[in-house]
Amino acid sequence: ANSLATIPQHTPPALLVSQTSSQHHQTMTSITQSETNYASGHWQKKSMGSEAANVIPNIADQRGYHDEEETMVTWRGNLVAEKEAKALRHVFDDLQDHFGLQQPDPHVKFNARLAHPGQGHFWHSYLDFTYNIKGEHCKLAYIGMDICLDLTPKLIYKCGRPMLNDYGTSWVYVYLPEPTMDKIKLYVKSGTGFDVSDEATIYDPNRNMTAIKAKLNNQAGQPKTSFWVAKENAPGGNTSFSRIGSVQEVQSDTSQKRIHRGVGIFSVSMEVEGTPNFKPSSHSGEVANLVFTLVSVRTWGITDCIAPIVHAPMM
């Protein structure tokens, strides 16, 4: 029940996926139009008057991405620095430089600045991402990946014990091919010097797939993880997306408890073991644990071609 099937790649609308859960080899089949419909139109685009603003956490100010002299512009109701807005459009609107099997190597560098919180045995850092956009280097707090988002029902209790508490509210599983995860690890290694542990991932060797336990934005005062669906018959044949609510709202609807395929946009943090008086170094053999927070999803539709995790895997 814990096996994962191969993730569809970012090739809309004739997206290719593999296989039945009884097979270990890949058998490529196309998703039919009926599989991509969202509950026969049950979900409609909401009024964006109040939702356009603050659709992502305000991380830039916290990390000092811009100074007082930089020109400020508006992106989706958020006042941000001009270069940051360029990166936001690049990643969120144009879905460029994201990680996936059929994607070219992203033009992005990973950066980290480890700090110790004052207690405990780990040093922490948010990852920053510097995108090379037509020769201009723009810093952002987010990366995109081809994923499948699992909103299927889970076994909450087993033998009277809680198993997957708060699923769909504070965290979810996302599935991606192992080569995509390996590419992310290479970028972390190149940018920070640290190898990445497998502690936060579940690997299915039969299908070369990885499941990540991703956090959801659910804090008071922060926008919840946004959920966008592809529009049909977009002008000029270009794909565009409509926001229909949050992942939490979609997951609460019985008709939407499915696996949704598309691009997930994440903030990422890392932690490395070390004492307050000893800053860890990649040369000392320490490895980094990554923590993914899903902040937004751009979905092409739903698929029944993936076997989801239904209860807490045996570790």
Side-chain angles (χ1 to χ4, degrees):
N2 293 343
S3 61
L4 311 176
T6 300
I7 298 297
Q9 297 309 303
H10 181 59
T11 54
L15 201 65
L16 298 181
V17 299
S18 75
Q19 62 187 38
T20 64
S21 58
S22 62
Q23 295 175 310
H24 293 334
H25 63 281
Q26 292 186 355
T27 304
M28 305 304 288
T29 57
S30 64
I31 296 267
T32 64
Q33 184 61 43
S34 62
E35 288 178 289
T36 66
N37 292 333
Y38 277 85
S40 302
H42 172 76
W43 280 95
Q44 301 296 327
K45 182 181 179 182
K46 297 183 177 182
S47 170
M48 295 298 292
S50 61
E51 292 183 341
N54 299 321
V55 296
I56 58 173
N58 188 9
I59 293 178
D61 289 339
Q62 303 170 20
R63 302 192 191 176
Y65 282 179
H66 51 78
D67 54 44
E68 295 180 358
E69 297 180 357
E70 192 167 0
T71 302
M72 304 297 288
V73 298
T74 300
W75 177 81
R76 295 189 180 276
N78 298 271
L79 189 64
V80 298
E82 188 172 19
K83 288 180 69 173
E84 185 189 357
K86 185 173 184 178
L88 287 166
R89 288 191 294 268
H90 187 73
V91 174
F92 282 79
D93 300 339
D94 301 332
L95 300 181
Q96 296 298 303
D97 280 328
H98 67 272
F99 289 81
L101 278 182
Q102 295 183 354
Q103 303 300 321
D105 288 348
H107 296 95
V108 59
K109 181 180 179 181
F110 288 37
N111 312 284
R113 290 180 291 183
L114 287 171
H116 197 276
Q119 57 183 358
H121 299 285
F122 286 92
W123 290 63
H124 300 266
S125 176
Y126 286 104
L127 291 182
D128 295 323
F129 309 99
T130 303
Y131 291 88
N132 185 345
I133 306 175
K134 297 181 178 179
E136 186 172 10
H137 293 87
C138 305
K139 187 177 289 187
L140 196 64
Y142 309 102
I143 58 167
M145 297 187 292
D146 283 339
I147 64 164
C148 278
L149 171 65
D150 184 0
L151 299 183
T152 61
K154 303 302 175 190
L155 181 63
I156 305 301
Y157 289 94
K158 184 177 182 180
C159 300
R161 296 183 302 165
M163 299 294 289
L164 298 177
N165 285 345
D166 297 324
Y167 191 86
T169 301
S170 63
W171 69 281
V172 290
Y173 283 122
V174 296
Y175 308 137
L176 65 158
E178 182 68 9
T180 300
M181 191 66 210
D182 288 341
K183 180 64 66 68
I184 292 171
K185 292 178 180 178
L186 286 175
Y187 273 65
V188 173
K189 175 71 172 179
S190 175
T192 71
F194 286 97
D195 291 311
V196 177
S197 77
D198 296 323
E199 184 174 318
T201 61
I202 302 166
Y203 177 53
D204 183 348
N206 292 325
R207 294 177 176 84
N208 207 26
M209 297 300 304
T210 296
I212 296 174
K213 186 177 180 179
K215 293 182 177 180
L216 296 176
N217 284 332
N218 197 38
Q219 301 84 3
Q222 287 279 16
K224 293 185 178 181
T225 302
S226 59
F227 192 98
W228 302 66
V229 298
K231 293 181 181 179
E232 295 183 4
N233 303 320
N238 297 320
T239 302
S240 60
F241 297 83
S242 296
R243 184 177 186 269
I244 63 172
S246 68
V247 168
Q248 290 90 336
E249 290 170 331
V250 173
Q251 197 273 340
S252 67
D253 187 284
T254 302
S255 65
Q256 299 301 325
K257 290 182 180 294
R258 308 287 293 277
I259 293 179
H260 303 258
R261 54 190 175 85
V263 177
I265 301 172
F266 299 81
S267 65
V268 187
S269 61
M270 64 183 289
E271 59 181 21
V272 184
E273 190 171 5
T275 64
N277 298 323
F278 178 75
K279 185 176 182 178
S281 167
S282 58
H283 302 294
S284 63
E286 301 293 345
V287 296
N289 300 322
L290 298 184
V291 179
F292 293 86
T293 299
L294 182 62
V295 300
S296 188
V297 183
R298 304 294 191 271
T299 62
W300 305 112
I302 56 178
T303 177
D304 295 323
C305 299
I306 292 178
I309 295 172
V310 296
H311 59 80
M314 298 298 291
M315 302 302 290

